């Protein structure tokens, strides 16, 4: 698993790249519901979600733009963790 450090904090590189990919493509620049599902699927790729993955998901929620529906889905899925 690869990591990236931002302001001295370690995040999972794959999740950040996935979020960046979904917001820089041909779409409107916001994460959509299906893209939020991709993020949580990627985070759940192992036996459980690590602290680094949780921290990265929190960072994505605070940093990246979401559609309203995607924000609601993200918040609901994150609350289950």
């Amino acid at each position: 698993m690869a990591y990236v450090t931002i302001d001295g904090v370690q995040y999972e590189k794959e999740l950040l790249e996935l979020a960046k990919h979904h917001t820089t493509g041909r779409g409107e620049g916001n994460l959509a519901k299906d893209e939020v599902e991709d993020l949580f699927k990627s985070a759940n790729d192992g036996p459980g979600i690590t602290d680094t993955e949780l921290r990265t998901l929190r960072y994505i929620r605070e940093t990246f733009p979401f559609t309203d529906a995607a924000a609601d889905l993200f918040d609901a899925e994150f609350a289950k963790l």
Side-chain angles (χ1 to χ4, degrees):
M1 185 173 299
Y3 301 99
V4 63
T5 302
I6 301 171
D7 296 329
V9 180
Q10 190 175 56
Y11 299 100
E12 186 184 297
K13 185 177 180 180
E14 180 182 334
L15 282 174
L16 288 175
E17 287 180 349
L18 186 59
K20 184 177 179 181
H21 170 76
H22 285 316
T23 56
T24 58
R26 293 185 298 158
E28 76 289 341
N30 294 322
L31 288 165
K33 286 175 68 174
D34 60 328
E35 295 161 344
V36 166
E37 291 169 356
D38 286 347
L39 288 171
F40 280 90
K41 182 178 179 182
S42 178
N44 277 306
D45 61 352
I49 295 183
T50 66
D51 289 342
T52 303
E53 289 167 326
L54 281 173
R55 187 170 44 253
T56 305
L57 287 171
R58 208 175 285 118
Y59 177 82
I60 289 168
R61 181 64 178 99
E62 295 169 355
T63 307
F64 286 83
F66 288 76
T67 65
D68 291 340
D72 290 343
L73 176 62
F74 187 101
D75 294 344
E77 290 299 315
F78 194 82
K80 295 177 187 177
L81 302 178

